[in-house]
Amino acid sequence: MKLIVGLGNPGDKYNNNRSNIGFKILDVIANNIGIEIKTKKKKSLIGRGDFEGDEVVLLKPQTFSDLSGESVLYIASFLKIQVKDIVVIHEDVGLELGQIVVTKGGENDVNPGVNSVSVSLRSPNFIRIRIGVLNSSFDPKKREEFLREDFEPLENLSLIQIINDAEAAIRSISMGDIDEVIQKYHL
């Protein structure tokens, strides 16, 4: 069984924020494979079903992103899912919009949600799907404000392809060797 986590912030006002790309991708995957993410469990929304022949749990933490580790730990412990079988999808301001990088480990990452998951699980050894959200207006001194901004209209057009590419990366993880997937989706 795999646990696929989309990082984001709950609430309609955050729906199209850059920091909610994890939620967006999870919603599309759920829709494509016929899973409803609506069961409420310990500050989370979850859905269970089949993905590429494996049982999966899709998780949207309902804490703010920087506290995501709390719900990831609870669901992983409750369902006895090992750290190596956890996939976390999150935004990355170090990557251009649309770039997708698959890595293992989340120790000392600049993303507070990834750090929260690492600390809560007491291990950084989960799989990460890093989704680039960077554009030319990014100011490192205003990182949080940038992540709370909605995607621009032209960027919204790109999101369809970005989400499809992210779903393909997750399918590759389910079907293949993680080291091969990391090699395929690297900078």
Side-chain angles (χ1 to χ4, degrees):
M1 181 186 299
K2 288 214 182 311
L3 175 61
I4 303 176
V5 182
L7 296 188
N9 294 313
D12 289 341
K13 72 178 186 177
Y14 300 107
N15 276 349
N16 202 36
N17 283 185
R18 293 174 191 286
S19 61
N20 271 37
I21 192 77
F23 277 12
K24 281 182 168 299
I25 291 168
L26 212 59
D27 286 339
V28 170
I29 291 169
N31 184 57
N32 288 350
I33 61 176
I35 295 176
E36 289 187 37
I37 304 174
K38 65 177 189 177
T39 304
K40 293 180 181 178
K41 275 247 196 269
K42 187 77 173 183
K43 299 179 186 175
S44 304
L45 289 175
I46 64 170
R48 290 176 81 162
D50 185 74
F51 184 68
E52 297 297 333
D54 287 329
E55 186 177 1
V56 295
V57 175
L58 305 180
L59 169 66
K60 290 169 70 173
Q62 296 299 288
T63 57
F64 281 87
S65 182
D66 56 346
L67 300 173
S68 297
E70 187 179 321
S71 44
V72 173
L73 175 63
Y74 177 80
I75 299 299
S77 299
F78 181 75
L79 296 172
K80 296 178 176 44
I81 297 173
Q82 296 179 20
V83 173
K84 69 178 181 61
D85 293 321
I86 298 173
V87 178
V88 177
I89 308 163
H90 65 92
E91 85 287 346
D92 193 318
V93 294
L95 300 172
E96 292 292 328
L97 181 70
Q99 283 185 307
I100 296 175
V101 174
V102 177
T103 58
K104 258 196 277 191
E107 200 166 38
N108 301 319
D109 194 272
V110 296
N111 185 304
V114 173
N115 275 335
S116 174
V117 173
S118 289
V119 168
S120 295
L121 294 174
R122 294 190 182 120
S123 172
N125 297 324
F126 49 90
I127 300 164
R128 296 170 46 211
I129 299 181
R130 300 165 46 207
I131 310 294
V133 296
L134 185 66
N135 71 15
S136 59
S137 70
F138 176 67
D139 177 353
K141 293 177 188 144
K142 297 181 179 179
R143 181 182 188 278
E144 292 307 312
E145 291 89 343
F146 178 77
L147 290 173
R148 281 194 297 270
E149 289 175 4
D150 281 355
F151 285 103
E152 296 170 5
L154 285 176
E155 291 176 326
N156 277 320
L157 296 174
S158 303
L159 286 179
I160 296 166
Q161 187 61 49
I162 294 166
I163 290 168
N164 288 339
D165 291 346
E167 183 178 8
I170 294 166
R171 285 186 191 282
S172 296
I173 290 167
S174 291
M175 295 168 30
D177 178 291
I178 186 59
D179 294 322
E180 288 177 16
V181 176
I182 289 170
Q183 194 61 32
K184 181 178 178 184
Y185 292 94
H186 70 286
L187 284 178

